[in-house]
Amino acid sequence: MSRQQLAVQRARKSFQTGKTKPLESRIHQLRNLLRFVTERRRDIAEAVKKDLSKSEHGTELFETLGVEGEIKLAIEKLAEWAAPRPVEKSLLTISDEVFMHPEPLGVVLIIGAWNYPWAVTLQPLVGAIAAGNAAVIKPSEVCCHSAKVMEELLPQYLDKDLYPVVTGGVPETQELLRQRFDHIFYTGSSAVGKLVMEAAARNLTPVTLELGGKSPCYIDKNCDITVACRRITWGKFVNCGQTCIAPDYVLCDPSIQNRVQEEIKNCIKEFYTDDPKTFEDYGRIINKRHFKRIMALMEGSTVVVGGDSDESQCYIAPTVLKNVTGESKVMKEEIFGPLLPIITVSGVDEAIQFINEREKPLVIYVFSNDNKLIKRVIAETSSGALLANDCLVHFTVSSLPFGGVGNSGMGCYHGRYGFDQLSHMRSCLIKQLKMEGVNSMRYPPHTAKKLETQHTHTQSPEKTAQIIIKKVQCTMATTLMV
């Protein structure tokens, strides 16, 4: 039996003991996870520094703070999330107890990504623990230092059988996908997402796919271009552009293209100095394979800002490209790096058409002072999210579901949405063995009078209430006579 099989077997055996059902047990594990993140903050930062050249403060801001917030929210709200949820009743069930009961799915597989190796691996884990599941955690092998720290230290805090960490590359992941899970939560590329979904289908396992795509950013020529470019520059080049919700390309009117380029150039200098290569808060491309892939994407486009690179350090400077069309090489795949193409469009009509001719993105960004224009983009496009006049920050709002649509993913998480995603909403109805007269309308023989009674479902609430009261009074009278 393989190491992966053993881990899944232990997790399922431990889950079947029922130890995850009590809320106290889940809260205990969540508190241990919070303790892990706070006590091992330095270990996490050092690992991310080795993997992505990210600064300690950058790691805290973009990796651990969000995880801590999710854990604290889950601990605070768990009793509310896990409570039975009453639903609207019908005439036939007016005296019954009717509700949805959230129950654990079972054993969840969480496959993390390398670009934010802690945030996108541990945040789904928070939802899995809160919902009462066991979880097999598979960190990305590309971030080898983070994966090693997770494998060595996380079991010191969480139940080793319920939440095993399984490391390895493609063969180990493939072996995991051959096992039966009750849910698979994958973060990564659309290409691999299709393989995960194919593997899950063999066991009819539901999936959450947090993918990516080319997220467009439309700049209205009448907006505050200075502020817009400042926020776009931050959103694009944080983590060296290796963010699934980074603006992938800019759409703007030709009349403001030069100014957009100049404003972004100024912001790059302000944020990362004249030499981003030596600046602590500007990271590196994860490895040489991705370095070469990103560099190749610039072919056929004109560099107007940046363009410097150093393969030995996997360094690519923040770069802005012009003379880009929908057929350019840089527009054929998600960039996932520090290249920002600018494509000119005649206005919002052409921008919407351009967006709709392509796969549904994870997020659409719109910069405009015109609320009607923003609402129009919302109404006439489709994406996992839409953010107006800022970048990335919707990811931090736990009360918003985070996820894609179409090619950018399926399912969602964060806060209560993560709990619900990894729970089964069990439909429950509890009826008393009393007042049988009320139920007589559903028993044979079926008559026109009974059918007329059934039609009261479509009556006004007042009329329905009158019928119910009359029926109950008749039933009570019959009972008293007996």
Side-chain angles (χ1 to χ4, degrees), residues 442-463:
R442 59 187 167 105
Y443 298 142
H446 301 299
T447 64
K449 186 176 180 180
K450 288 182 177 180
L451 185 60
E452 183 182 351
T453 304
Q454 292 283 7
H455 281 311
T456 58
H457 287 285
T458 60
Q459 300 284 351
S460 66
E462 294 79 8
K463 183 68 173 177

Side-chain angles (χ1 to χ4, degrees), residues 23-40:
L23 300 191
E24 297 79 8
S25 173
R26 304 182 200 182
I27 289 173
H28 176 70
Q29 294 298 324
L30 288 170
R31 284 176 175 155
N32 285 346
L33 183 59
L34 181 60
R35 193 161 55 86
F36 164 74
V37 174
T38 54
E39 291 181 2
R40 298 295 184 172

